[in-house]
Amino acid sequence: MNETRAARIAFSRPLETPPFWRCLPDFFAFPLGGEPLERLILLSLGALFAIFLPLPRPFDFLVMGAVIVVIYLRFAFKVLERTAYGIMDPADYANSIDDGQKNSPYRLLACYILLALPVMLAAAVGKNAMQTMQLLTALALPAVTMNLAIHHRLSTAIDPRMLWRTMTSIGWPYLALWFFVETLGVGSVFVAGKLASWAPRWLAPSIFAFIAMYFGLVAYRMMGYALFQYHESLGIEVVAPADDTAESQAEASPGSMIGRQVAAAIGRGQWDEAKALAYAEQLERPGGEACDRYHRLLKLTGDIAQFLSYGRDYMLKLIESGQANRAAPVFIRCREVDPEFRCTESSQVMALALAAYRMRKYDLGLTIMNRFDRCFPGDPAIPDVYLLSARILYEHKNQDALARQILTASIARFPHHASVEDARRMIEFIDRLQQVGARS
């Protein structure tokens, strides 16, 4: 890839992102050139070598087929992930960050097995229950695959809360996405079977494999693009091609030169060089875009330990400088990689939770404050954490009983704290609401 093309990669979103249903021709053309086409040809021809395995038939084809599927799915998940991050050209893919998808084929198989369990249980209830569960499971499959590609965790991929968040963040277009992906899956089997039946017997396995993998790559490309299209609502940090206007504006900024050098290194697949440049930039320009760029690069290159450590330090600096609202996205990024990630200092928790509350990210606020009293026993901020948690629960989560329970416990444990009066007023308000509801 030439320098001009590389220099156009920046950490920003294009001004216009066409919806995925308008990009169908591009999706179908994607596997027909460059690295995707080379992969499809080599893998499909690999089926011809099954006869050389020292195994009786059909085990020779089963073993070779399993190997081909694993290699193919690793690349398909790579396509999905890179597309979601806005890296649209396969020439921009870098082998140095492939490790995150090595186990994705096995995780996907585990997802299918786990998702089959509720269908089996529903079958014991009756035919209608089984068919309903089959439909719900099929409807969730694209979201499962997308979550697995982005988060690399089996538990996150099948977490009902994450599935619901993915589907609702995309909204009604998710149903169109599901229809296209389902149609591609069914259509690939039909078309591949037809064409394979017309081919010579020795070539039929390769024809079938090529067609099936072709349609599969189209589907994975489409799912990745859907994530890119809705990346803001899904909280995905993208590395997207910038338009001419954005590029010309970036040239006027103080850090634009280093930013373009980082972009060029990414485009060449030289991730270590990009990381070194971004590290130097954030030292020269602490805070702001430079630190965000370096933090995202640590995630993309798979340096998870450094990613979490830097995120924790960066978050602390933002909070201490009164920028807790900018620290919240850093916390979300780290939490997606490590579900156990949390603030190490009690002062961070309240500042970050208040920022999440002001940003109307109520679930995030509850997540930040979760188990605060256990992590920081005896901390003077415990009553304030209880009060804010209860406020979120009764104001925005319709959990009045739990909110009242937390407030009552707070008053009992800290009867002389300044938050007691607010807690009592909140309890009275909750009780009045319950009385009105009972009368109505």
Side-chain angles (χ1 to χ4, degrees), residues 139-435:
L139 188 63
L141 282 179
V144 169
T145 307
M146 291 188 288
N147 284 343
L148 189 59
I150 295 298
H151 303 293
H152 307 167
R153 288 176 177 270
L154 175 63
S155 57
T156 304
I158 61 174
D159 186 337
R161 295 170 298 179
M162 289 298 296
L163 293 176
W164 181 250
R165 179 194 173 201
T166 300
M167 291 188 282
T168 54
S169 295
I170 296 176
W172 288 109
Y174 179 83
L175 295 178
L177 177 67
W178 171 81
F179 173 78
F180 286 129
V181 172
E182 190 75 8
T183 302
L184 287 168
V186 175
S188 66
V189 176
F190 175 78
V191 175
K194 262 303 187 198
L195 293 178
S197 66
W198 296 339
R201 188 172 181 179
W202 64 273
L203 191 59
S206 293
I207 296 294
F208 185 92
F210 183 91
I211 298 300
M213 289 187 293
Y214 166 79
F215 279 99
L217 275 188
V218 173
Y220 275 74
R221 176 72 162 185
M222 186 182 301
M223 288 187 285
Y225 187 89
L227 290 177
F228 172 68
Q229 181 186 344
Y230 295 96
H231 73 269
E232 290 179 348
S233 56
L234 289 165
I236 297 174
E237 300 287 348
V238 301
V239 183
D243 66 347
D244 294 334
T245 304
E247 185 178 2
S248 63
Q249 291 174 347
E251 290 175 355
S253 63
S256 61
M257 181 60 69
I258 296 180
R260 290 197 300 276
Q261 292 174 351
V262 171
I266 294 173
R268 295 191 301 268
Q270 298 173 344
W271 290 86
D272 288 339
E273 179 184 345
K275 193 163 62 172
L277 288 168
Y279 178 76
E281 181 189 21
Q282 59 89 34
L283 288 178
E284 294 179 10
R285 300 169 54 229
E289 181 185 353
C291 292
D292 284 332
R293 177 183 289 116
Y294 180 63
H295 193 223
R296 292 196 297 269
L297 267 175
L298 289 174
K299 180 181 179 181
L300 288 173
T301 53
D303 194 349
I304 301 304
Q306 181 63 19
F307 169 79
L308 295 174
S309 175
Y310 184 83
R312 189 173 281 110
D313 294 339
Y314 180 33
M315 195 169 62
L316 177 59
K317 291 177 183 177
L318 288 172
I319 292 173
E320 288 178 345
S321 62
Q323 301 180 75
N325 60 320
R326 292 190 53 223
V330 179
F331 179 87
I332 294 173
R333 243 178 296 179
C334 294
R335 189 82 177 186
E336 287 176 346
V337 172
D338 180 10
E340 297 301 317
F341 180 86
R342 59 178 60 253
C343 300
T344 56
E345 297 185 17
S346 61
S347 59
Q348 298 179 41
V349 175
M350 199 60 196
L352 203 58
L354 283 171
Y357 180 81
R358 288 191 293 266
M359 296 162 65
R360 307 179 72 85
K361 296 182 179 292
Y362 306 117
D363 288 330
L364 174 62
L366 292 174
T367 298
I368 293 167
M369 295 183 290
N370 186 35
R371 294 187 295 179
F372 179 87
D373 51 354
R374 298 180 188 177
C375 296
F376 307 101
D379 193 280
I382 290 178
D384 294 321
V385 169
Y386 282 170
L387 185 65
L388 181 57
S389 299
R391 182 179 296 278
I392 292 174
L393 289 169
Y394 100 83
E395 285 184 349
H396 305 286
K397 308 300 291 183
N398 295 321
Q399 298 187 37
D400 296 356
L402 180 56
R404 194 184 193 287
Q405 180 181 343
I406 292 173
L407 293 169
T408 303
S410 180
I411 293 172
R413 287 183 60 186
F414 309 98
H416 304 296
H417 194 270
S419 66
V420 167
E421 289 303 317
D422 289 332
R424 285 175 177 159
R425 281 195 295 268
M426 203 177 300
I427 290 175
E428 292 174 1
F429 185 76
I430 292 173
D431 289 342
R432 284 200 300 270
L433 284 179
Q434 289 179 340
Q435 290 173 3

Side-chain angles (χ1 to χ4, degrees), residues 94-115:
N95 294 327
S96 60
I97 55 173
D98 284 350
D99 291 345
Q101 303 300 347
K102 276 188 176 179
N103 295 319
S104 291
Y106 313 118
R107 294 183 184 124
L108 184 63
L109 175 61
C111 286
Y112 284 153
I113 294 173
L114 292 174
L115 291 174

Side-chain angles (χ1 to χ4, degrees), residues 114-136:
L114 292 174
L115 291 174
L117 295 178
V119 176
M120 295 169 61
L121 293 174
V125 177
K127 183 178 179 180
N128 291 337
M130 181 187 70
Q131 291 176 341
T132 301
M133 187 56 66
Q134 285 177 330
L135 177 61
L136 292 175

